Amino acid sequence: MHAASGSRLGASHPRQEGPVDLRLVPPALAAWATAAWTLDAPPRLVGCVVLLCVIVAGVLLGGWGRGARGAPLSAGGGVPGGRGEATPVSGARPSGGPANRSLDGPADRSPEGARDRSAEGARDRSRDGMGDDSSTGTRLRSPEGPRSRSPYRPAGWPADAPRYEWSRMSGAAVLLCVAAAGVSAGLHGADLRRGPVPVLAREYATVTAEVELTSDPRLVRPRVRGDHVTPDSVLVDGQVRSVAADGAAGVTTRAPVLLVVDVRDRAGPDGGRPAVVRRGVRQAWLGLLPSTRVRVTGRLAPALTGGDRIAAVLRVRDRGARAVPVVVRKPSAPQRAAGRLRAGLREATDGLPADARALLPGLVVGDTSRITPELDEAFKETDLAHTLAVSGSNLTIMLALLLGPPGLAQHVERRGLAPRLGIPLRTTALLGGALTLGFVVVCRPDPSVLRAAACGAVVLLALATGRRRSLIPALATAVLLLVLYDPWLARSYGFLLSVLATGALLTLAPRWSTALRRRGLPPRLAEALAAAGAAQALCAPVVAVLSARVSMVAVPCNLLVEFAVAPATVLGFTTLATAPWAMPAAKASAWCASWPAEWIAGVARTGAALPGAGVDWPGGWGGALLLALATAVALPLGRRLLRRPWLCALCAALLLLAVVRPSPLTRVLTGWPPPGWRLAMCDVGQGDATVLAAGEGTGVVVDAGPDPALVDRCLDRLGITRIPLVVLTHFHADHVAGLPGVLRGRAVGAIETTGFAEPVDQVAFVRREAEARRVPLVRAVAGERRRLGSLDWEVLWPPARQVPEPEGPNDASVTLLVRSAGIRMLLLGDLEPLGQQALARSPAAARWGGVDVLKVAHHGSAYQDPDLIRAVAPRLALISAGADNPYGHPAPGTVAALRATGAVVLRTDRDGALAVVGTGGRLRVARD
């Protein structure tokens, strides 16, 4: 034993062999499935199911009780003993039984008998997690072999009783858990259907309501919808306690709602007044704490999708004083204290670098309000998003700091702050409970935080017993209790991911770690690699359901941040605790925490920037099943590969090449981008992003699309690292919102835009992005000509002064005539019929002759000038449109008109990204 442990005193918590106790797993899974199904099931059906389960469980328990009373005696003819073993009636002791005193003679007092009794006592202590000899750390075992009682039989049950009697009890337990979950879920689901709120929501009634907030208000990032961006909004969950409609008296009720507060004025009737963010209203809402009760006036609407945990959506859109919440009751004292702690953490991190300032509050208390969309996307791409949310690991780290290593928590040689300060074990346990309670309050008692606290505490408590067989029952107990407490967790992907990750750490990770250590890997590295790999193997299918993408860098990125998470968390909690009392000390602690936080953010950004960081995968549960099958096939192959180091090295090299994707190798294997490409139209969904080749690694970008991630990925695949000029044809969001993705990690010379500065919010957005990267902004004017190597282009539209004024941004789109290697290309932006007709009357129309490629205006919409299409008569027409877009782009009539001129029509919604190759005489189009 000592030699195997690698320690002179032996292992402090040697592994205990034996079957895994799965008795609580079926009840937990049954309760989980029942809660997910019955939340929106008809109440009568739920009642019938619950009644049937209770009746059948009663029948099974009745039969089990009769079987227990009439159970046969054990082999020795005894009666059930106190520890589930038969008491012998002769001097002989049953094999594996306890050292009971004989009924017909004195106890064996020989040295051999004493040793037997000592071994039996050690084995009994082993069952309670205290089976190590305190002086040597060696597990004592009886020479008589293992205990005869099966771990799946209850105490007091005879060892040779029929197993089907125990199966009855298991079946009854499952049925009772199903009934309990059905009752809990039925009551929670009834909250969404009863009372006046659902009725008023179906009528879209304007109401005055008193709402008790149940979460922190959060500012929603604007999203691109068509050519505009949704207004800034504040979202907050709440419970309607009183509601009044049409001046009627208030009705007391209890209904969960989602408050949506628009905090931006819309343009005035003339369409020209700027949209102004009302900072007073926004700050008034964002400053509220959970448990605050407010009075608001807004319009009720049904939930957007079925199965939500809200009865209605309450929209507050008033422009006057009624948009400001009226506080009816202040938040509770614990929430006020937690609010001060969180505010102190934000203040202490104000002076840190941008990534650390954004990341540290998220690591500590789950406050992601400062996380930028770019950083958030990087964490999702590398599967590090779990570090931005409060998880069980946060609590485990803090409890381990207090208690010491989990396996030594109940041993004399335990470590941590508590034993060093002389705190007894029971008092330490109370302090751990208080720390857990404070963790829940500060991080908010949302379902995700409760899930994290329960899972983290359960894992640590189970590990502290030193019994691996108790881990799965403990996790199953946590799942069962949480689902009964909040049945909506049964439909939460976050809850599913948390349980899967915890289960992977408890089951697969120890086995994989042992296998890796046997093959010569250092213990710490083996444990970290096994934990990251096991969690990724079980969680990746669920992530694929949500993102339709599989990260190729998740395991290495998680390994690289593993050693930084603990110090960042500990120092972050130190900052949290000291900020209200000693801000200088808190700022010093935050500065120290910024180093590991910056490392974590740097790993996420670097991993996400790799060309092969992720691969597209079929979404939905079909894709999840396919990925699970692929993982199940890959695991046995991986085990075989470990026996052949040269094959492992070869596979690692191939994986590295697949992630890094050197441009020469990528072109040979995929044919993208094709050699000698002149124009590439990126597939960015419902928007525009076109690239003009201007040399090796260099390109002129025309429009940026609606999504920074999509255009960034397209430019990476094209190998573009230098952009002399970005042309934004107009300021609609589907052309400019992706600008951060174009600027990310690339040298940009200038940004050229139209002179028509609307919509003003997107104009301001472009100016902010340009100023942040110190990129100059210039205005495009008709007649301007530029040349870059073999590429030259001319601006045809808009003129310096448009007469009459354009009706909107589309007719002020920058229009380019491009020449490259003898190919003439016309890029029309989003010009509509009036703008196209004005362009046709301009002097530039004389230079249209012989156009080879036409970038069709406005995503191929029906608003086209047929005379312009006939006059241009391109050989190739390219349309950028999103798949299944709600606008019907491209219009069938437009496609037919283009084909009538002899043009070949290609579109990104069906053909993907497109690249034009060739010279003026011969054209070829490659597809990605």
Side-chain angles (χ1 to χ4, degrees), residues 289-292 330-342 441 444:
L289 296 173
S291 75
T292 305
K330 294 183 178 180
S332 61
Q335 290 295 346
R336 290 198 298 270
R340 285 193 293 270
L341 290 173
R342 293 166 67 98
V441 173
R444 304 299 192 231

Side-chain angles (χ1 to χ4, degrees), residues 153 282 450 573 797 834 864 868:
R153 298 178 185 274
R282 181 172 62 181
L450 293 175
F573 271 103
W797 192 264
L834 289 178
Q864 308 288 336
L868 182 142

Side-chain angles (χ1 to χ4, degrees), residues 299-603:
R299 184 182 297 275
L300 284 172
L304 296 179
T305 58
D308 286 341
R309 63 187 304 162
I310 57 173
V313 175
L314 180 56
R315 287 190 168 274
V316 181
R317 286 181 171 173
D318 292 352
R319 301 181 183 179
R322 290 189 298 176
V324 179
V326 177
V327 177
V328 177
R329 190 184 67 189
K330 294 183 178 180
S332 61
Q335 290 295 346
R336 290 198 298 270
R340 285 193 293 270
L341 290 173
R342 293 166 67 98
L345 176 63
R346 286 193 294 269
E347 182 181 351
T349 57
D350 279 341
L352 300 180
D355 283 346
R357 182 172 65 250
L359 186 57
L360 202 55
L363 283 172
V364 178
V365 295
D367 182 0
T368 59
S369 58
R370 293 175 172 176
I371 300 292
T372 63
E374 180 184 358
L375 185 60
D376 184 57
E377 184 64 29
F379 273 79
K380 290 179 180 178
E381 186 72 15
T382 54
D383 275 2
L384 291 175
H386 61 89
T387 62
L388 297 179
V390 177
S391 63
S393 61
N394 298 54
L395 180 61
T396 301
I397 290 171
M398 298 308 299
L399 288 178
L401 184 65
L402 176 68
L403 304 174
L408 302 178
Q410 290 187 345
H411 291 252
V412 175
E413 62 271 24
R414 63 193 178 99
R415 303 168 190 169
L417 292 177
R420 294 180 185 276
L421 297 175
I423 302 175
L425 184 59
R426 291 185 178 180
T427 306
T428 303
L430 293 176
L431 290 176
L435 182 62
T436 303
L437 180 61
F439 173 82
V440 172
V441 173
V442 173
C443 298
R444 304 299 192 231
D446 294 331
S448 61
V449 176
L450 293 175
R451 177 188 69 245
C455 290
V458 164
V459 171
L460 188 62
L461 181 61
L463 289 174
T465 65
R467 298 172 61 200
R468 291 192 183 276
R469 285 183 293 178
S470 66
L471 300 177
I472 296 300
L475 178 60
T477 302
V479 170
L480 179 61
L481 294 178
L482 286 172
V483 167
L484 294 179
Y485 170 76
D486 184 4
W488 289 104
L489 288 175
R491 293 185 177 182
S492 168
Y493 285 103
F495 182 69
L496 177 59
L497 288 169
S498 177
V499 173
L500 288 177
T502 306
L505 296 179
L506 300 184
T507 56
L508 295 180
R511 298 174 185 271
W512 292 5
S513 175
T514 302
L516 292 173
R517 286 199 301 269
R518 282 201 302 264
R519 286 166 173 81
L521 236 63
R524 293 287 179 89
L525 179 59
E527 290 178 4
L529 184 60
Q536 180 68 13
L538 289 190
C539 294
V542 181
V543 175
V545 173
L546 302 175
S547 63
R549 193 165 174 81
V550 176
S551 176
M552 302 295 291
V553 297
V555 173
C557 286
N558 275 275
L559 285 175
L560 289 173
V561 305
E562 181 70 26
F563 71 91
V565 170
T569 302
V570 172
L571 290 169
F573 271 103
T574 302
T575 304
L576 179 77
T578 57
W581 326 107
M583 184 56 69
K587 289 186 176 182
S589 176
W591 181 82
C592 295
S594 68
W595 290 90
E598 284 283 318
W599 169 262
I600 295 172
V603 169

